[in-house]
């Protein structure tokens, strides 16, 4: 059916034209098919003078062509990716813009799925083949051309069947402290006759298992061979995982794996109510103890940052030291070495009695030494108490009142104030003042 619509006056049928002015009419032509237009419209002035204006138009269909009408997808021998793509050009040979929409079948996708091709130009379309669990596909992708004839692109693809199995059906990380990394390893076995490619969807993993990651998250395993895949769990907050994860196998059934983990924020009580150094004279040193209790079922890892307070330091007893294995879980690095975060954190000579001196450049390029306190990390075992010594060694006549910068791994900063105690230290004061941290 052909429709021809004219709108002869944009601002109303009647117009008043002042002396010396002009008036105009906007004419809109709408067609649903190719046709030749030969007609006219009329207008009158003051109902006495009548005029006609001829209108001629030739409507031609919008035309698009594709650089490829058949595409056959095959994966290279060592391809690891779960998909493969080809590029098609949509060409507009006419002098009008051409709008299009793509209708893609299940195993093929096209990007962009719709758009406009400018006159006498072309637009690139990326067609992607995802075989899924089947090995062969033959489907048709349709390009709907608005105002023109549709295009069809025949898409086919094939892939070798992948047969993978996992020796472990369940990976249980059990309970672990928030802020640490736990690792487990699984073994994938290729039981098929051809190479098998696997991959893990990172977006799906973030939704189903926050904090879980695979390394490598994709790979190719040759027939009869195995591959080791590392699973890691790390979360800065409490989270419980008990779900099934699927490793997609190209051209085969996915590998199902059950993952369990219980990330816990330790339950901590600071036994020491206040830390009062009292009167300490220049050149002397005083020590106080800080005692904490871990009432939870996972280790509690603390950080004490005294770098802004160089006259204060801490001594960590051997039973509270963070071993290298736990350091790896905290930092996510394999081995510490001389520059590991653990060894750097001790500061100075590591005995807690002396601050270190750091070089700091002045405006004129000269270097000056600035006192810098220590940064220490320590742990308290589940169901145990821990005690560390705090030292105050004044080098200048100053008063100090601050909250002890103690933090617990996995505990939000908004909740960290419950761990902190006020440290008042007035040097050379005969009668020290006690401060109540809860006042």
């Amino acid at each position: 059916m052909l429709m021809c619509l004219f709108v002869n006056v944009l601002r109303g049928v009647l117009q008043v034209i002042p002396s010396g002015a002009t008036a105009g009419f906007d004419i809109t032509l709408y067609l649903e098919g190719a046709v030749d237009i030969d007609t006219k419209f009329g207008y009158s002035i003051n109902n006495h003078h009548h005029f006609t204006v001829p209108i001629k138009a030739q409507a031609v269909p919008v035309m698009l062509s594709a650089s490829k009408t058949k595409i056959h997808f095959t994966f290279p021998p060592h391809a690891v990716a779960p998909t493969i793509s080809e590029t098609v050009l949509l060409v507009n040979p006419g002098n009008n813009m051409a709008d299009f929409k793509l209708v893609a079948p299940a195993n093929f996708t096209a990007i962009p799925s719709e758009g406009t091709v400018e006159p006498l130009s072309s637009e690139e379309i990326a067609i992607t083949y995802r075989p899924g669990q089947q090995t062969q596909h033959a489907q048709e992708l349709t390009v709907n051309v608005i105002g023109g004839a549709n295009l069809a692109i025949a898409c086919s693809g094939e892939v070798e069947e992948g047969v993978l199995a996992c020796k472990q059906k369940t990976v249980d990380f059990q309970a672990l402290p928030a802020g640490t990394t736990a690792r487990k390893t699984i073994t994938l076995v290729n039981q098929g006759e051809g190479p098998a490619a696997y991959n893990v969807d990172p977006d799906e993993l973030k939704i189903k298992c926050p904090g879980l990651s695979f390394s490598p998250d994709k790979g190719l395993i040759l027939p009869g061979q195995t591959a080791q895949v590392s699973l890691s769990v790390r979360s800065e907050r409490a989270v419980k995982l008990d779900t099934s994860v699927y490793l997609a196998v190209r051209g085969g059934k996915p590998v199902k794996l059950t993952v369990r983990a219980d990330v816990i924020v330790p339950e901590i009580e600071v036994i020491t109510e206040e830390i009062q150094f009292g009167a300490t004279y220049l050149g002397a040193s005083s020590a106080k103890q800080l005692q904490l209790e871990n009432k939870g079922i996972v280790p509690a890892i603390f950080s004490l940052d005294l770098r802004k307070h160089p006259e204060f330091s801490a001594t960590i007893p051997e039973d509270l030291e963070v071993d290298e294995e736990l350091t790896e879980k905290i930092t996510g690095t394999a081995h510490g070495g001389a520059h590991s975060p653990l060894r750097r954190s001790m500061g100075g000579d590591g005995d807690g009695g002396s601050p270190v001196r750091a070089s700091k450049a002045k405006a004129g390029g000269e270097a000056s030494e600035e006192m810098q306190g220590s940064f220490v990390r320590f742990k308290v075992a589940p169901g145990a108490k821990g005690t560390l010594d705090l030292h105050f060694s004044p080098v200048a006549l100053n008063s100090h009142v601050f909250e002890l910068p103690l933090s617990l791994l996995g505990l939000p900063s908004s909740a960290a104030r419950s761990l902190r105690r006020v440290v008042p230290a007035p040097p050379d004061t005969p009668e020290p003042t006690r401060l109540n941290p809860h006042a």
Side-chain angles (χ1 to χ4, degrees):
M1 178 180 177
L2 177 64
M3 179 185 294
C4 181
L5 174 65
F6 293 94
V7 180
N8 58 346
V9 181
L10 178 65
R11 294 177 297 276
V13 176
L14 299 178
Q15 294 190 59
V16 177
I17 308 172
S19 176
T22 59
F25 299 92
D26 292 330
I27 304 171
T28 301
L29 175 65
Y30 173 74
L31 297 172
E32 290 185 345
V35 68
D36 291 337
I37 302 297
D38 188 358
T39 185
K40 59 185 178 180
F41 80 94
Y43 67 94
S44 62
I45 300 176
N46 295 332
N47 292 324
H48 288 88
H49 307 284
H50 302 280
F51 302 91
T52 59
V53 178
I55 296 178
K56 292 184 178 182
Q58 184 182 15
V60 296
V62 177
M63 298 180 61
L64 280 181
S65 62
S67 60
K68 300 175 184 178
T69 57
K70 291 184 179 180
I71 305 175
H72 184 66
F73 295 87
T74 56
F75 286 85
H78 300 291
V80 177
T83 62
I84 188 171
S85 299
E86 290 277 353
T87 300
V88 175
L89 285 179
L90 295 182
V91 182
N92 181 4
N95 55 6
N96 293 311
M97 294 188 298
D99 297 327
F100 67 89
K101 291 184 179 181
L102 289 144
V103 181
N107 295 93
F108 299 89
T109 57
I111 297 177
S113 60
E114 60 181 80
T116 301
V117 184
E118 297 293 330
L120 303 176
S121 64
S122 60
E123 182 79 13
E124 282 191 354
I125 305 296
I127 301 177
T128 301
Y129 170 51
R130 183 182 293 272
Q133 300 184 31
Q134 299 180 359
T135 58
Q136 291 185 343
H137 296 88
Q139 298 166 339
E140 191 174 85
L141 185 146
T142 304
V143 183
N144 291 331
V145 182
I146 311 302
N150 294 340
L151 301 177
I153 302 176
C155 299
S156 61
E158 59 181 334
V159 64
E160 290 188 88
E161 182 182 11
V163 183
L164 280 184
C166 183
K167 291 185 177 181
Q168 299 82 3
K169 302 300 180 184
T170 301
V171 177
D172 193 348
F173 290 93
Q174 299 180 341
L176 65 149
T180 62
T181 302
R183 293 181 176 86
K184 296 281 186 179
T185 301
I186 60 173
T187 302
L188 299 178
V189 183
N190 186 347
Q191 299 177 341
E193 298 180 356
Y198 74 91
N199 77 287
V200 180
D201 188 345
D203 295 329
E204 181 182 355
L205 207 60
K206 289 179 182 179
I207 297 173
K208 296 183 64 176
C209 300
L212 178 66
S213 61
F214 285 72
S215 180
D217 59 0
K218 58 180 175 290
L220 186 72
I221 307 174
L222 298 179
Q225 294 190 359
T226 62
Q228 304 292 317
V229 179
S230 175
L231 279 71
S232 301
V233 169
R234 182 183 182 91
S235 177
E236 304 300 329
R237 58 182 179 85
V239 64
K240 191 168 186 175
L241 302 179
D242 188 0
T243 186
S244 296
V245 179
Y246 291 89
L247 284 74
V249 180
R250 194 175 64 201
K253 294 181 179 180
V255 176
K256 180 181 178 181
L257 188 66
T258 301
V259 178
R260 297 190 181 100
D262 193 6
V263 182
I264 300 173
V265 176
E267 183 182 351
I268 296 300
E269 179 183 352
V270 181
I271 299 175
T272 305
E273 289 296 330
E274 64 178 3
I275 304 170
Q276 175 63 262
F277 282 96
T280 304
Y281 294 91
L282 294 177
S285 180
S286 59
K288 294 292 179 181
Q289 289 188 333
L290 175 66
Q291 191 173 32
L292 309 101
E293 182 179 3
N294 182 359
K295 296 183 176 181
I297 61 174
V298 294
I301 300 130
F302 296 90
S303 296
L304 180 58
D305 190 356
L306 294 170
R307 286 174 292 190
K308 293 183 179 180
H309 309 282
E311 295 178 309
F312 295 84
S313 58
T315 300
I316 306 301
E318 187 175 350
D319 63 319
L320 300 186
E321 288 183 358
V322 179
D323 52 35
E324 192 160 321
E325 180 182 356
L326 190 54
T327 302
E328 178 184 347
K329 291 182 179 180
I330 299 170
T331 62
T333 55
H335 295 288
H339 299 287
S340 71
L342 174 62
R343 297 194 182 189
R344 286 202 312 268
S345 70
M346 296 303 296
D349 53 13
D351 62 359
S354 303
V356 298
R357 294 183 180 271
S359 295
K360 185 177 181 181
K362 289 184 177 180
E366 301 177 358
S368 64
E369 288 188 339
E370 184 179 82
M371 301 294 290
Q372 184 178 5
S374 61
F375 175 92
V376 294
R377 182 177 283 137
F378 61 95
K379 65 176 176 62
V380 180
K385 295 181 180 180
T387 303
L388 65 153
D389 293 329
L390 301 176
H391 303 270
F392 174 47
S393 304
V395 295
L397 193 60
N398 291 314
S399 294
H400 302 272
V401 179
F402 61 93
E403 286 186 339
L404 192 67
L406 181 67
S407 59
L408 172 65
L409 199 63
L411 187 68
S413 57
S414 58
R417 290 184 63 90
S418 62
L419 300 176
R420 298 178 178 177
R421 295 296 182 262
V422 174
V423 181
D428 198 15
T429 304
E431 296 181 2
T433 303
R434 296 176 61 85
L435 297 182
N436 184 357
H438 302 289

